[in-house]
Amino acid sequence: MLIVQKYGGTSVANVERIKAVAGRVSAAAKEGHKVVVVVSAMSGETDKLIGLAQQISPNPGEREMDLLLSSGERVTSALTAMAVEALGHRAMAFTGRQMGIITDTVHTKARIERITGERARKALQDGYVIVVAGFQGITEDDDVTTLGRGGSDLSAVAIASALEADLCEIYTDVDGVYTTDPNIVPEARKLNKISYEEMLELASLGAKVLQTRSVEFAMKYEVPVVVRSSFNNNPGTLVTREDKDMEKVVVSGVAYDKNQSKITVMAVPDTPGIAARLFKPIADANIVVDMIVQNVSSGGNATDISFTVPKTDSKKALTLTEKIARELEAKGVDLREDIAKISVVGVGMRTHSGVAAQMFDTLAGHGINIMMIGTSEIKVSCVIGLKYTELAVRVLHEAFGLSG
Ligand code: ADP
Ligand code: ASP
Ligand code: MG
């Protein structure tokens, strides 16, 4: 088999952990598998690099930012290759560029356009273990790009797809995908399998165990993904196509996202075209707007529009919004960072009703105020005060009977 194994930051956090990873890689190679390893930077390293840049400038250039951020994964890929060699295998480390990971030019959240991978294919043929630096690619113009936070997951899935691997294993610090973050709710239950669709919702709603875009990619190209722990040999969670059994479960997970901010434009004239004028410049700045709520003006001819954006983009979004608000002669703009989004997810919601009502009821029962509500076919999300996050996750997990 050809196996892609991705190891996250905690799995390569120090030399001891890197040696342990090499041991796993070696075991797979000894079983006769061809192995491609994808590594993250050591845990905390990417945040540290961001911190350094911010000490230099509040708005560092994105091209240089990417060059800086990509360095963390270079370190671990080289060290991991050395560790695999030390166990008697032939190993070769590749940067994103050497792997031929071609992306668009959107720095700090680039999209993979294609993977050439010629050298890697040749090296695999020649019996090498390949170790690729995750999270990074290269533009057609030879600039280094990164793939967004958690982007090594995407590197792994995309490489698995390009090389037509039989399996993509994501090794992390928990045993698999749980009904909610096991670090918040110890009673959370590990799922043996989960559909791409549910995983995509959970990831995009904050469950950082897999990066959203990696799940999107896996779903599109049907890459079989298994999430497992690098700290033990427990079986993990298979992310796969939906089957009949999965629909019987109404709610399969609870997710939370503390990385959103809420922007409110107050008293905008209630006329056609306002939303378009407001959101176009934000979209043009590559800022993803998530929830939008527009309060119907009662009698008057003004309306409030609230929306959420990722915290990392909130300053940029605020500046853009303030400019448009002035043009529209709105009353003002308000930014709130002390919010969180809580969501319940399940494909069974397509055929069962009452989930939203039960969610609102549960939150109300614990005195948690809801600021915004959003729904799709298979999820219900509520924006609440940040300080209620853990409480909300726990009581919803309990209310929907998800504990093991
Ligand atoms: P890595 O560094 O290996 O990429 P991450 O920190 O990105 O690891 O992701 C693993 C973390 O995801 C876990 O430690 C856990 O706290 C969190 N997590 C959030 N929701 C879930 C969930 N539903 N199941 C498992 N882990 C989850
Ligand atoms: N090191 C990057 C990050 O912290 C990418 C990753 O770990 O997947 O976001
Ligand atoms: Mg991760």
Side-chain angles (χ1 to χ4, degrees):
M1 287 216 299
L2 172 58
I3 306 178
V4 172
Q5 299 187 332
K6 179 258 172 178
Y7 292 91
T10 42
S11 303
V12 292
N14 53 48
V15 167
E16 288 318 307
R17 292 297 313 150
I18 289 177
K19 286 182 179 170
V21 163
R24 280 186 179 270
V25 173
S26 167
K30 280 187 182 144
E31 281 173 29
H33 303 306
K34 289 193 188 306
V35 191
V36 177
V37 184
V38 176
V39 286
S40 288
M42 293 180 181
S43 60
E45 183 62 25
T46 306
D47 288 331
K48 199 178 96 191
L49 294 169
I50 293 172
L52 288 176
Q54 255 146 19
Q55 285 176 49
I56 305 252
S57 156
N59 260 322
E62 291 188 324
R63 179 182 176 279
E64 279 58 42
M65 198 65 195
D66 270 350
L67 193 59
L68 175 71
L69 294 188
S70 69
S71 68
E73 272 75 6
R74 278 188 169 227
V75 171
T76 46
S77 60
L79 290 175
T80 305
M82 290 172 194
V84 173
E85 287 244 326
L87 296 179
H89 302 267
R90 292 202 292 176
M92 218 171 167
F94 284 82
T95 62
R97 180 186 180 190
Q98 289 171 324
M99 186 68 204
I101 300 181
I102 316 296
T103 73
D104 64 15
T105 57
V106 183
H107 282 290
T108 75
K109 40 189 168 191
R111 284 187 175 272
I112 296 179
E113 286 178 345
R114 62 200 160 83
I115 297 181
T116 56
E118 273 131 47
R119 276 185 81 186
R121 277 196 197 90
K122 167 111 193 0
L124 277 173
Q125 282 305 325
D126 294 345
Y128 283 88
V129 167
I130 306 296
V131 187
V132 186
F135 182 48
Q136 55 188 272
I138 193 95
T139 66
E140 297 282 3
D141 291 335
D142 217 18
D143 280 326
V144 173
T145 48
T146 62
L147 310 176
R149 294 312 302 268
S152 299
D153 294 335
L154 176 60
S155 308
V157 171
I159 289 168
S161 170
L163 300 178
E164 292 174 51
D166 299 285
L167 185 62
C168 179
E169 295 181 313
I170 305 286
Y171 284 95
T172 182
D173 56 1
V174 289
D175 288 2
V177 180
Y178 282 70
T179 47
T180 194
D181 188 343
N183 288 319
I184 290 200
V185 181
E187 299 80 31
R189 189 166 40 85
K190 185 174 76 189
L191 303 167
N192 293 325
K193 57 182 177 176
I194 184 168
S195 67
Y196 289 121
E197 262 187 300
E198 282 173 319
M199 192 62 239
L200 184 59
E201 286 284 4
L202 283 177
S204 69
L205 296 168
K208 66 171 182 162
V209 62
L210 284 176
Q211 188 216 29
T212 307
R213 279 161 59 184
S214 73
V215 186
E216 236 165 39
F217 199 103
M219 180 157 99
K220 191 163 169 198
Y221 298 100
E222 295 212 5
V223 181
V225 172
V226 172
V227 179
R228 316 181 45 174
S229 169
S230 70
F231 293 77
N232 60 48
N233 284 316
N234 298 342
T237 301
L238 174 67
V239 188
T240 183
R241 259 193 292 182
E242 187 179 330
D243 65 34
K244 279 272 166 297
D245 288 355
M246 292 175 176
E247 271 207 29
K248 289 187 199 138
V249 185
V250 183
V251 169
S252 48
V254 178
Y256 65 93
D257 184 355
K258 296 180 172 184
N259 293 312
Q260 296 271 322
S261 306
K262 174 163 153 277
I263 295 179
T264 302
V265 190
M266 286 165 293
V268 237
D270 196 4
T271 52
I274 294 296
R277 278 192 57 195
L278 180 58
F279 292 113
K280 173 90 176 30
I282 296 176
D284 288 345
N286 282 307
I287 298 171
V288 181
V289 172
D290 179 30
M291 286 181 156
I292 302 177
V293 171
Q294 176 172 350
N295 295 340
V296 184
S297 56
S298 53
N301 48 9
T303 172
D304 287 356
I305 300 179
S306 292
F307 56 94
T308 60
V309 293
K311 241 176 213 152
T312 44
D313 290 329
S314 63
K315 297 287 177 313
K316 211 156 118 188
L318 181 65
T319 311
L320 286 169
T321 309
E322 280 172 339
K323 183 166 171 280
I324 306 155
R326 273 193 301 275
E327 292 167 15
L328 297 176
E329 297 182 350
K331 204 162 135 207
V333 179
D334 172 59
L335 169 69
R336 274 194 71 172
E337 308 230 83
D338 59 338
I339 59 148
K341 184 173 66 177
I342 308 292
S343 310
V344 299
V345 172
V347 284
M349 275 185 216
R350 286 195 199 112
T351 46
H352 293 76
S353 59
V355 172
Q358 190 178 351
M359 180 174 189
F360 305 153
D361 198 47
T362 306
L363 294 175
H366 290 82
I368 302 170
N369 185 40
I370 300 170
M371 301 179 207
M372 295 171 106
I373 298 167
T375 61
S376 80
E377 237 193 333
I378 65 165
K379 68 128 195 266
V380 185
S381 301
C382 295
V383 171
I384 62 171
L386 182 66
K387 65 179 178 197
Y388 297 112
T389 312
E390 283 77 12
L391 174 64
V393 171
R394 251 183 267 121
V395 296
L396 289 172
H397 192 266
E398 176 77 39
F400 287 102
L402 294 174
S403 299

